Amino acid sequence: MKYLDLSPEIKDALKNKKPVVALESTIIAHGMPYPQNVETALLVEKTIRENGAIPATIAIINGKMKAGLSNDEIDFLGKEGQNIPKTSRRDIPFILSKKVSGATTVAATMIIAKRAGIKIFATGGIGGVHRGAPKNMDISADLQELANTNVAVVCAGAKSILDIGLTLEYLETHGVPVIGYRTNDFPAFYTRKSGFNVDYKLDSPKEIAAALKIKWKIKLKGGVVIANPIPEKDEPSFFEMKKATEQAQREAGSKNIKGKKITPFLLGRIKELTGGKSLEANIKLVLNNARLAAVVAREM
Ligand code: PSU
Ligand code: MN
């Protein structure tokens, strides 16, 4: 396909049925500051290799949907940061036709992973139903993609900047299963608990892989959320995160920040308000997700 570009390593891995894990790039360009974003992206790739799988970082580079970025391409996305357009499903054709580069969200990364033939994807947190959504209708396109595209996303749940209850209701309506890895609690990104439960607690990557294979074998279209809580030793104080999140949200409201800008704004502000603790937790949870995704990909 003219618009799809797989690196030689990813092409070879997929041809020879080696385990591959997809990674997104909005987290690099918009989710973390430079240089931690690039350091983390490279460390995530290394972690996936150490756990026996091959990392495929995904983005749009010069008008092509690319799976398997070079270190220079990762560095470019990280350095340019907010100058790189945040690219979700609706944006893809325009970024391609302008022949520019785009940082892919969970939704856009799932689309490209599916086209490439990659089934397992690791990230930090998925987008969801925003607080106030019944009025402002801010519901991430990630959820629709999970409803439709056969890729499993390993994440640390959804951030408490979202309405987690409504996010889970939305996923249920669209038939997207939510698995808890060794937990009954749906995690809230920085913290291990959200006050909501997952649908199925599974205790081994093998059980997860078995359920995924059956889902797609019997042609139940759509993705799966594999919720993997941040390790206890890396979990920051719940109250500190809650306080920072609430303040960041008030500021977003008074500054009238909306749409695709809201998630990056909140992430950046929460980092400032917690003196960098949220960023440290973010890095730890992404690495934890990379490990699990690699092992699940191997079991597949
Ligand atoms: N959640 C995070 N970090 C992120 C994102 C979500 O903890 O960087 C990014 C992901 O790329 C996700 C996107 O797909 O934000 C969702 O944005 P929106 O709500 O505008 O769809
Ligand atoms: Mn949104």
Side-chain angles (χ1 to χ4, degrees), residues 4-15 20 45 49 54-58 65-70 73 116 118:
L4 186 65
D5 180 7
L6 307 186
S7 72
E9 185 188 24
I10 298 303
K11 205 181 270 174
D12 170 80
L14 293 167
K15 206 174 92 193
V20 177
E45 291 204 338
R49 290 188 196 279
I54 295 162
T57 303
I58 289 179
M65 302 185 287
K66 186 149 190 205
L69 299 190
S70 67
E73 286 164 337
I118 305 168

Side-chain angles (χ1 to χ4, degrees), residues 86 90 127-128 130 137-141 162 258-263:
K86 177 173 162 183
R90 64 166 179 196
H130 280 258
M137 297 282 282
D138 190 345
I139 300 172
S140 174
L162 300 168
K258 287 200 206 109
K260 68 200 279 184
K261 297 230 176 314
I262 189 130
T263 302

Side-chain angles (χ1 to χ4, degrees), residues 30-161:
H30 298 265
M32 290 183 189
Y34 183 79
Q36 288 94 336
N37 54 1
V38 173
E39 286 162 16
T40 304
L42 298 176
L43 201 52
V44 166
E45 291 204 338
K46 183 162 167 258
T47 303
I48 288 174
R49 290 188 196 279
E50 284 167 357
N51 286 275
I54 295 162
T57 303
I58 289 179
I60 297 178
I61 301 288
N62 299 327
K64 294 227 176 185
M65 302 185 287
K66 186 149 190 205
L69 299 190
S70 67
N71 290 0
D72 283 348
E73 286 164 337
I74 289 176
D75 195 62
F76 164 74
L77 294 176
K79 268 196 190 125
E80 289 292 317
Q82 314 268 334
N83 296 329
I84 304 286
K86 177 173 162 183
T87 307
S88 198
R89 170 179 271 269
R90 64 166 179 196
D91 309 294
I92 294 174
F94 304 95
I95 302 296
L96 293 181
S97 68
K98 286 195 246 173
K99 296 192 168 54
V100 294
S101 299
T104 50
T105 63
V106 168
T109 304
M110 287 177 74
I111 293 169
I112 298 171
K114 176 72 182 28
R115 298 274 190 292
I118 305 168
K119 296 193 167 70
I120 307 295
F121 167 13
T123 185
I126 53 169
V129 179
H130 280 258
R131 294 190 195 171
K135 251 174 85 183
N136 62 32
M137 297 282 282
D138 190 345
I139 300 172
S140 174
D142 292 355
L143 299 184
Q144 266 309 301
E145 213 53 57
L146 281 161
N148 289 301
T149 301
N150 298 6
V151 171
V153 182
V154 181
C155 62
K159 225 172 285 92
S160 55
I161 58 176

Side-chain angles (χ1 to χ4, degrees), residues 205-248:
K206 203 185 194 114
E207 287 172 87
I208 296 174
L212 296 182
K213 279 200 252 179
I214 292 173
K215 175 176 164 59
W216 293 323
K217 184 155 204 170
I218 62 173
K219 301 214 159 37
L220 286 175
K221 179 177 71 114
V224 175
V225 174
I226 302 170
N228 185 32
I230 183 170
E232 249 158 87
K233 65 174 182 3
D234 301 319
E235 188 182 25
S237 144
F238 175 84
F239 290 103
E240 192 179 353
M241 289 301 135
K242 183 166 168 343
K243 218 176 86 199
T245 303
E246 286 169 357
Q247 183 175 335

